[in-house]
Amino acid sequence: MSLQAYQQAATRAETPRETEYRLFAQVTLALMDAAKCDPKDVRGRIDALDWNRRVWSVLGTACADPDNALPESLRAAIISLSIWVGKHTSEVIRRKEEIEPLIEVNRMIMQGLRGDGRAAAA
């Protein structure tokens, strides 16, 4: 079975919540790798930070849609987090802040997506 066929089968079998969890796991692992990489590897660090910022930007935009079915308070919280992630990411790129808070926020989101109270495995 080819990798593409496996990915298509996995996508069809996943719930939206599982897909979101998998995305957060992937981007969080990229952030964790970026946190450990050589400070001279600016490209790898910025790629991971940019990917995370884009994920959060899409979430914030989706939550701003009036047709979004999530409760209004949850949508507002996600939009606020999206704004914070964008600002904090800029500070991390400028080396004025650390990357770890971004990782922790993603882990908390993963924990919520998992829904069973277990800590995120990333």
Side-chain angles (χ1 to χ4, degrees):
M1 176 185 265
S2 75
L3 178 60
Q4 185 178 12
Y6 173 78
Q7 289 172 332
Q8 288 173 348
T11 301
R12 277 185 250 126
E14 282 182 332
T15 66
R17 185 179 207 132
E18 291 167 334
T19 301
E20 290 169 351
Y21 182 91
R22 184 170 47 84
L23 173 61
F24 268 101
Q26 291 170 345
V27 75
T28 303
L29 285 172
L31 288 173
M32 292 169 69
D33 287 344
K36 293 185 281 187
C37 74
D38 182 345
K40 294 177 186 172
D41 181 15
V42 175
R43 173 92 178 171
R45 185 174 174 91
I46 289 178
D47 285 349
L49 288 164
D50 181 56
W51 182 20
N52 188 63
R53 184 178 1 211
R54 285 183 288 128
V55 166
W56 277 98
S57 178
V58 168
L59 288 172
T61 301
C63 287
D65 183 345
D67 294 331
N68 188 303
L70 290 175
E72 193 171 326
S73 61
L74 179 57
R75 289 174 35 211
I78 292 170
I79 291 168
S80 292
L81 277 172
S82 173
I83 293 167
W84 177 83
V85 166
K87 290 178 181 179
H88 192 82
T89 299
S90 295
E91 294 298 306
V92 172
I93 290 170
R94 290 185 196 109
R95 299 190 183 265
K96 294 182 177 181
E97 287 291 345
E98 298 296 323
I99 201 169
E100 285 74 17
L102 295 168
I103 295 167
E104 289 306 312
V105 166
N106 284 5
R107 283 181 168 165
M108 286 185 274
I109 295 298
M110 291 170 64
Q111 200 171 15
L113 287 168
R114 180 173 278 161
D116 63 3
R118 292 185 293 164

